Amino acid sequence: MQQRGRQTFVFEKPPAILSWASVVGKKEGEGPLADAFDIILEDDQAGQSTWEKAESTMQMMTIERALQKADLQPDDLNLISGGDLLNQCIGTSFAMREQRIPFLGLYGACSTMAEGLIVSGMAISGGAVDKAAAITSSHFASAERQYRFPLVYGGQRTPTAQWTATASGCVLLSSSGTGPFLQAATIGTITDWGITDANNMGAAMAPAAYETIRLHLEQMNLTPEDYDLIVTGDLGHLGRSVVQDLFARDGVHLGNRYDDCGTMLFDREKQDVHAGASGCGCSAAVLCAHLLPQMKANKLRRLLFCGTGALLSPLTTQQGESVPCICHAVSITTEGAGSWNI
Amino acid sequence: MQQRGRQTFVFEKPPAILSWASVVGKKEGEGPLADAFDIILEDDQAGQSTWEKAESTMQMMTIERALQKADLQPDDLNLISGGDLLNQCIGTSFAMREQRIPFLGLYGACSTMAEGLIVSGMAISGGAVDKAAAITSSHFASAERQYRFPLVYGGQRTPTAQWTATASGCVLLSSSGTGPFLQAATIGTITDWGITDANNMGAAMAPAAYETIRLHLEQMNLTPEDYDLIVTGDLGHLGRSVVQDLFARDGVHLGNRYDDCGTMLFDREKQDVHAGASGCGCSAAVLCAHLLPQMKANKLRRLLFCGTGALLSPLTTQQGESVPCICHAVSITTEGAGSWNI
C-alpha cells in the first residue's frame, strides 16, 4: 500500500471483491430494493427466542450465503472483521462463535462496513491473509430497546429520527479475482460539532462525512466528478442535505453524484420512517444488494463508499454529552491496479 | 507480510515500537508494579464528574505521555486503533474526539491491546501508514456498574471473580526504529467451551488462549522454548492454571516461560482481588509498564503477548448464554527483520 497524505492510502495490490450477500427484515423487504436482497426474513425474529439472537442469526445467514456465492467454505477464510451496534458487539461475536473464522472485532457504529473493508483490505493487500470478509448487522428491535425505549412502550419518534434497519451485509475479499476492487481508503478522525440530540444522528454525522470526503478528494488529488457515485451511509434525508450544503459553501456542487444509503432503503412516502434508515446493516445491505451488483454489471464503475458512525451511547446522552462521529471512505472501482491513474 | 498457515503471519517489515505509556488508578499504583507506571492517579475519578469521563481522561493522558516519550505530536500519527469494555466503546471514542488522530474502533474486550497491535501493525507493515498507535483502557468503577452492580450496592464477589483494573496503556509503532519489533501474529477464532458463569472469566477464556498459543507455535514451527516468555492477559490465577493444565495434557510443560498479566498487577495476599486482575487496561498496562521496558533493557528478548477477551455482555448472561472468548497472539522480539529465523 502507498500513503497519500496523512490518512489516505492506495491499495497497490487491490483486494478483489469475490462475493457479497444481504439479509433483511420484512419491512426492508417491502421497500424499493425488495428485489435486490439475497434473503428477506418472513419473521424479524428469525425463529429465535430473542431479538439479539435473531440479529446473530442474520449474520450467520449472510456469511453463509456470501461463502456459497463464492463457492467457498468457512475454513477458506483467513479473517473476518466486523461488529454491530449492540453492547459488547454481541450480534457479531455470537454469530462468529458458530463460524470459527479468525475474527477481529470492530466498533464503528454505522461506519462498520467501511471500517471492515479497510481492515480486511489492508490485511489482504499487505499479504497477511489471502481471503477475508467484512460483516455487520443491525436490528430494529434490538437497537430500539437498547438505545431508546422498549418497543411495547410505543414512544413517539421525532421528525429527524431515523429507522434502524433490520439488515446484515457481508463482503468477501481476496488477493485475486476479477473485481470490483478496493482501490484506496481514507481513515476518518472523530468529528463532533456539538449536536446533543440523540434523535438527530443525520445532522451529527454529516460534518464527519463532509470532512472525510473533502480530505479524500484532496489527498487523492481528485474531484467529485472522478467518481460515478459518492455514497454516505447512513445520514438519512436530513444529513444528506447537510453534506450537500457544507460542500456548496466551498463552491462544490455534488449534484446527482452524491447520495446516502439511508435514503435508499425505504420508501419515504409509504413506509413512515421519518428521516430515513440507519443502523450498521443499512449501508452494508445497500452496498451488497444495490451498489456492488451495479458495479459487477459495469453500470457503476467508480464508487466512493463512505461509512458514517455516531459513536454515542445512551449513557453519554444521559450525561449531557454531544455525539462524536466518524466517517471512513473506501474507493471501489471496476478497474484493477494501476488502470485508474490515482 | 507473509502467511504462515491459516491464521498466522510474519511481518516481513517488522513495525518498530517507538514508545509506550501507562496510566493506572490508586489501587494498581499500590501493587507490585508501582514503580513501573508512567502516571498513578491520586483519585480514580481523574478530576471528572463521572467514571466514564475519568476513563476517557486516562486514555488522553496515556496517548499524550506516549507521544511525549517519542517526541511526537498527535498530527504525526496516521492511525490509532483501540477500544474498551464500555457500551459502544465510549471510553475510547470520547478520548479520541480530543486527539483528532485517524481512528479505527475495535471491540475485543480484554484482547484489545493485542488486537490493536495487529491492526496498527498490519497497516504499517503493508505501507498504508507510517506511524500508528494502539490504545485501550478499563476502569473498575465504570465496569462494575455496567457489568455487575452499582458500587454502592456492595455486592459480594465470588472467589473466581477478577478485579477490573483501572488502567490504560498505549503503544506507538513506526515503520522504522530500533525496536522492540512486532515479528508475527496469530488472529484467534472465537472459542466457547460452555462456561456460563460470568464471574469465572478465567476458566472461560483459558481454552481460547490454549488454542491460539498452540496454533501459533504449530503454524510458526516453534516450541515454547523459542520464547523467553509467553504471557496471556488476563486470565488471572485460575485461568492461568487451566492453560497450564491444557498444555500438560498435550505433554507440553510451559513452566516459568508462561505467565498471565492478571496475576502480575496486584499482590494476591495483600490486595484482596480474588482470582487476579482483568479488564482491557490490565494487559495493556502490564505490557507497557513491565514487559516492554524489560525488552528495551534486553532482559527479555522474545515475547509472545496473547490478549484474551471474553465477548459476553450482561444481556447474554441474562439470556442464559455461555461466554464466547477470543485470543490474539503477537510475537514481539528485540531483533529486527530476518534476524530471528522464523
Side-chain angles (χ1 to χ4, degrees), chain B residues 22-340:
Chain B
S22 59
V23 175
V24 300
K26 194 162 176 288
K27 185 184 179 91
E28 291 71 17
E30 292 165 352
L33 304 179
D35 296 337
F37 304 112
D38 290 284
I39 300 169
I40 299 172
L41 298 176
E42 287 178 34
D43 160 19
D44 283 8
Q45 220 161 319
Q48 301 298 310
S49 56
T50 70
W51 302 117
E52 291 77 18
K53 292 181 187 182
E55 188 170 340
S56 286
T57 302
M58 286 175 65
Q59 282 206 20
M60 286 186 249
M61 294 166 74
T62 314
I63 177 77
E64 273 166 29
R65 181 59 67 96
L67 284 165
Q68 203 178 53
K69 286 163 86 172
D71 199 17
L72 292 173
Q73 301 297 319
D75 280 358
D76 295 322
L77 291 185
N78 307 106
L79 169 65
I80 187 163
S81 63
D84 58 88
L85 288 169
L86 297 180
N87 296 346
Q88 288 73 54
C89 299
I90 51 172
T92 310
S93 307
F94 281 78
M96 292 309 118
R97 181 173 67 172
E98 309 303 322
Q99 304 287 351
R100 309 280 294 155
I101 301 166
F103 171 58
L104 293 175
L106 308 180
Y107 185 73
C110 305
S111 72
T112 305
M113 177 48 78
E115 186 182 352
L117 291 173
I118 291 173
V119 169
S120 289
M122 286 196 308
I124 290 173
S125 189
V129 308
D130 185 54
K131 288 186 177 60
I135 194 166
T136 191
S137 65
S138 53
H139 193 296
F140 174 73
S142 63
E144 282 298 307
R145 80 163 159 195
Q146 181 189 280
Y147 280 91
R148 286 166 282 263
F149 302 106
L151 284 179
V152 289
Y153 177 76
Q156 187 88 351
R157 302 169 66 242
T158 66
T160 56
Q162 290 170 251
W163 186 278
T164 306
T166 298
S168 172
C170 177
V171 176
L172 294 196
L173 301 165
S174 171
S175 58
S176 61
T178 55
F181 301 93
L182 305 191
Q183 200 69 246
T186 298
I187 299 173
T189 53
I190 288 184
T191 302
D192 184 342
W193 285 15
I195 302 284
T196 53
D197 179 0
N199 289 304
N200 194 352
M201 293 295 94
M205 292 189 284
Y210 162 70
E211 287 191 3
T212 295
I213 297 169
R214 197 174 48 77
L215 266 172
H216 176 82
L217 296 173
E218 185 186 300
Q219 296 181 340
M220 293 289 288
N221 198 21
L222 294 172
T223 66
E225 289 68 35
D226 288 313
Y227 284 104
D228 297 330
L229 183 65
I230 297 172
V231 68
T232 48
D234 314 290
L235 305 178
H237 296 281
L238 192 146
R240 180 177 63 175
S241 69
V242 177
V243 168
Q244 288 166 329
D245 285 353
L246 289 170
F247 273 101
R249 285 190 201 182
D250 296 343
V252 177
H253 296 279
L254 297 173
N256 288 338
R257 286 182 193 281
Y258 168 65
D259 210 338
D260 180 78
C261 296
T263 69
M264 300 176 186
L265 194 63
F266 295 117
D267 185 310
R268 198 180 187 183
E269 303 303 317
K270 294 180 191 157
Q271 291 192 291
D272 188 28
V273 293
H274 297 354
S278 69
C280 305
C282 173
S283 66
V286 170
L287 178 70
C288 294
H290 183 56
L291 301 172
L292 290 176
Q294 281 189 70
M295 297 196 83
K296 199 69 187 173
N298 255 314
K299 289 179 191 165
L300 195 61
R301 295 178 58 215
R302 296 168 183 180
L303 172 72
L304 188 64
F305 176 71
C306 309
T308 51
L311 306 174
L312 81 169
S313 85
L315 191 77
T316 57
T317 304
Q318 286 157 13
Q319 292 183 0
E321 278 288 359
S322 54
V323 183
C325 295
I326 201 156
C327 173
H328 303 300
V330 183
S331 175
I332 307 174
T333 71
T334 52
E335 304 127 315
S339 58
W340 185 23

Side-chain angles (χ1 to χ4, degrees), chain A residues 222-250:
Chain A
L222 295 172
T223 67
E225 289 70 34
D226 288 312
Y227 283 104
D228 297 328
L229 184 65
I230 296 172
V231 68
T232 48
D234 312 294
L235 305 177
H237 296 282
L238 192 145
R240 180 178 63 175
S241 69
V242 176
V243 168
Q244 287 167 330
D245 285 354
L246 289 169
F247 274 101
R249 285 191 201 180
D250 296 343

Side-chain angles (χ1 to χ4, degrees), chain A residues 1 3 6 52 74 77-78 85 87-88 97 100 103 105 107 115 126 128 188 190 192 211 319 321 328, chain B residues 1 3 6 52 74 77-78 85 87-88 97 100 103 105 107 115 126 128 146 188 190 192 211 319 328:
Chain A
M1 292 164 279
Q3 271 187 269
R6 184 185 179 207
E52 292 76 19
L77 292 184
N78 307 106
L85 289 168
N87 296 346
Q88 287 73 53
R97 181 174 67 172
R100 308 282 291 155
F103 170 59
Y107 185 74
E115 186 183 354
I190 288 184
D192 183 343
E211 288 191 2
Q319 292 183 0
E321 277 288 358
H328 303 299
Chain B
M1 291 165 280
Q3 272 186 269
R6 183 185 178 205
E52 291 77 18
L77 291 185
N78 307 106
L85 288 169
N87 296 346
Q88 288 73 54
R97 181 173 67 172
R100 309 280 294 155
F103 171 58
Y107 185 73
E115 186 182 352
Q146 181 189 280
I190 288 184
D192 184 342
E211 287 191 3
Q319 292 183 0
H328 303 300

